[in-house]
Amino acid sequence: MPDSNRLLPNLTTRSLIPENQETPIHFLRSVLTPESYHFRRNHFPYPELPNPFLLSVRGTVLRPLELRAEQLSAWKAKSVTVALECSGNKRKKFSPEVFGEQWEDGAISQSEWTGVPLADILHLAGLQAGSQEVVFIGADRGHHPGVKGVIPFARSLSVKEALHPDVLVAYQCNGQAIPYRNGYPLRLIVPHWYGMASVKWLQDIEVIDHAFQGPFQTKDYQYYPSIHHDGGKHPVTTKHVNSIIQMPMDLSVLPVGVYVVEGIAWSGTGAVEQVELSLNQGKSWSAASLTPDPSRPYAWVRWTYTWHAEQPGQYEIWSRATDAAGHTQPLEPFWNRKGYGHHAIYRTRIQIE
Amino acid sequence: MPDSNRLLPNLTTRSLIPENQETPIHFLRSVLTPESYHFRRNHFPYPELPNPFLLSVRGTVLRPLELRAEQLSAWKAKSVTVALECSGNKRKKFSPEVFGEQWEDGAISQSEWTGVPLADILHLAGLQAGSQEVVFIGADRGHHPGVKGVIPFARSLSVKEALHPDVLVAYQCNGQAIPYRNGYPLRLIVPHWYGMASVKWLQDIEVIDHAFQGPFQTKDYQYYPSIHHDGGKHPVTTKHVNSIIQMPMDLSVLPVGVYVVEGIAWSGTGAVEQVELSLNQGKSWSAASLTPDPSRPYAWVRWTYTWHAEQPGQYEIWSRATDAAGHTQPLEPFWNRKGYGHHAIYRTRIQIE
């Protein structure tokens, strides 16, 4: 008998060049996502990396730096466990539908990232007066629709955001060198923001005295509330409070029985304090059991709920998370033209036979 | 530099127990689907197989048979290349949505199956007068919602259908022993029908003098046109004429340029004779270029079409196949409560920037 018991889920392919693959999040229960299941989100083909790989710190700094990646392991290290989520996660759920990678629920993974606080590097370099933003440039580059020539992936943070003590220049993921496809050898980690801020293959840090205008800053990763014009445009930043029901899966058919409904919840604006479930389309809500870990403030929280499905029929199970800042999931998603930040109440439909 | 060039798609996981995984059909161009990319559709956990594996032929036959699987290779062999499609393929596209495995486009794969014509086996056994149907029973078994006890997967064909010269008891797939997950060691292959007829792990052939009433025959794999009642119920049989656009993918964003639109088309009711594309929502249609292979009447046909996308904007590309019997794809799918046989005109939406 061959491998009948080796039933494994796979990354779900959205595109190959560039490679965009989803984590099979409904089938994973581990706190840390194994490398083979980490989602892959790229704007460009994978980069050729120079050897040695140098990280430069330049621009409006007092002491420009050029650091070999491996030097950073001599610095004082810090680790953060992060539910890293692409801002396009759940894009496929928007109605009307929006263009872009059609992520379902799996553009999210969780890892422990270890590295050097970015603040320590910026302090060594010294910021000149008038410094306004810090630009992070990856080694990956290519063509972008509507932009002439070859450009790198680049994103900025304000100086204040860049100095947040948990923003890291990471060199390890889950205790190993960062996997190549997830940013080896150095990756910026901005734990409370959507994933676009956590620049992979980080090669250049440039401090500037003005607002960065790169297309991944000012054109993409912006919420456009209107389909017709750019009015109301505002940037994608921290992760919204959010949840998914992992099991049972949407539109599944199950026999009468007792089920453990289970899932995860996360937020970039504070610890998840409550997850509630509704079986009557929001008329009433019941608390799920949480397994929080206060030592991992940027991690997702696992939750469970026992459901007695005793009568055949069609059911909806809704989940709603609330974080320490009082943010909660809205009934309907905030529709926006590029499909970012979907975090409406999660709905699963089940047929009991 | 690790494996930057080894970009591979994966099977898309729909469920693990039983295992249901889609072929990454948008990313494959080969005539025959490699084993690792063959879709997996199961009703039950994978079966334990007896050793030796015996095929019994019984019921209203003159000479009941018990054949060791490996004996069949001594018989005169026949091969057919088949686009094997689950009748639930594209279920996710129905609106209103229907319960069941949420297959997108990938519950289809193509293989060359080699085996013995079922007619030869039935002739050896000899059918008694009054024989009406032939029931095919797989080694896989388990619980089915709404049915008491443990049952096997079983399906029937009328005697006339069973005697079709291209219906095989196959023992090879693409020149090798059939992969375990696809039915090793013996699988019925009904080349023009949806996949549920091609019973995996075929263990028993029972000829009966009445209509078979198993739940996979009379409850599942039936078209129910109404959500409210069972009126108009009729069985799922041959594959509808159908097509997909493999590339470009739905809701993708592309730069201005010239693109080769490519895809496949297939039918269970005759060779695909024409694939047409429309760029104006069906007002006019242009013929795609086909690469038919008359030696493979049950195979899908590859097609291509050159598209000059010279102006930014939003586009829809529609594909429509027509077969030798004159069947074509309708504008809207035939909605049915269990979501079988979706074969509406295929639509891909593209944004050119």
Side-chain angles (χ1 to χ4, degrees), chain A residues 1-19 21 24 27 40 46-50 92 97-102 104 144-146 180-181 184 219-220 227 249-255 314-315 338 349-351 353, chain B residues 1-19 21 24 27 40 46-50 92 97-102 104 144-146 180-181 184 219-220 227 249-255 314-315 338 349-351 353:
Chain A
M1 210 85 23
D3 47 3
S4 72
N5 291 313
R6 212 171 48 84
L7 298 183
L8 296 173
N10 300 292
L11 291 174
T12 300
T13 311
R14 297 285 165 222
S15 74
L16 284 179
I17 301 174
E19 187 177 39
Q21 305 234 31
F27 303 99
R40 298 167 185 174
Y46 286 104
E48 295 279 330
L49 300 181
K92 196 164 189 167
E97 288 155 307
V98 295
F99 288 87
E101 299 295 328
Q102 295 297 298
E104 298 198 52
H144 188 66
Y180 170 61
R181 297 184 197 214
Y184 174 90
K219 184 181 169 223
D220 295 342
I227 200 166
M249 284 178 71
D250 192 30
L251 292 165
S252 53
V253 180
L254 298 171
Q314 294 184 1
Y315 297 88
K338 287 185 177 252
R349 293 154 293 182
I350 307 294
Q351 183 161 294
E353 288 194 347
Chain B
M1 210 85 24
D3 48 3
S4 72
N5 292 313
R6 212 170 50 83
L7 298 183
L8 297 173
N10 300 293
L11 291 174
T12 299
T13 312
R14 296 282 165 225
S15 73
L16 284 180
I17 301 174
E19 189 179 36
Q21 304 236 30
F27 303 99
R40 299 168 184 172
Y46 286 105
E48 295 280 329
L49 300 181
K92 198 166 187 166
E97 289 157 307
V98 295
F99 288 87
E101 299 294 328
Q102 295 298 298
E104 298 198 53
H144 188 65
Y180 170 61
R181 297 184 199 215
Y184 174 89
K219 184 182 169 220
D220 295 342
I227 200 165
M249 283 178 72
D250 191 30
L251 292 165
S252 53
V253 180
L254 298 170
Q314 294 183 2
Y315 296 88
K338 286 184 179 253
R349 295 153 291 183
I350 308 294
Q351 182 161 293
E353 290 195 345

Side-chain angles (χ1 to χ4, degrees), chain B residues 52-65:
Chain B
F53 189 98
L54 300 174
L55 172 67
S56 78
V57 184
R58 51 189 169 82
T60 59
V61 295
L62 301 172
R63 293 170 294 275
L65 304 174

Side-chain angles (χ1 to χ4, degrees), chain A residues 26 244-262 277-281 303 305-319 346-353, chain B residues 14-15 97-102 145 337:
Chain A
H26 287 269
I244 66 164
I245 297 170
Q246 289 176 293
M247 287 289 167
M249 284 178 71
D250 192 30
L251 292 165
S252 53
V253 180
L254 298 171
V256 164
V258 179
Y259 294 94
V260 177
V261 182
E262 49 186 331
L277 270 70
S278 177
L279 280 151
N280 54 14
Q281 306 195 299
W303 58 262
Y305 180 83
T306 304
W307 177 41
H308 291 261
E310 283 160 0
Q311 294 297 327
Q314 294 184 1
Y315 297 88
E316 286 198 18
I317 312 176
W318 291 11
S319 73
Y346 195 89
R347 298 165 201 222
T348 290
R349 293 154 293 182
I350 307 294
Q351 183 161 294
I352 298 291
E353 288 194 347
Chain B
R14 296 282 165 225
S15 73
E97 289 157 307
V98 295
F99 288 87
E101 299 294 328
Q102 295 298 298
R337 198 170 74 218

Side-chain angles (χ1 to χ4, degrees), chain B residues 267-279:
Chain B
S267 174
T269 57
V272 171
E273 295 204 326
Q274 183 172 251
V275 175
E276 298 161 291
L277 269 69
S278 177
L279 280 150

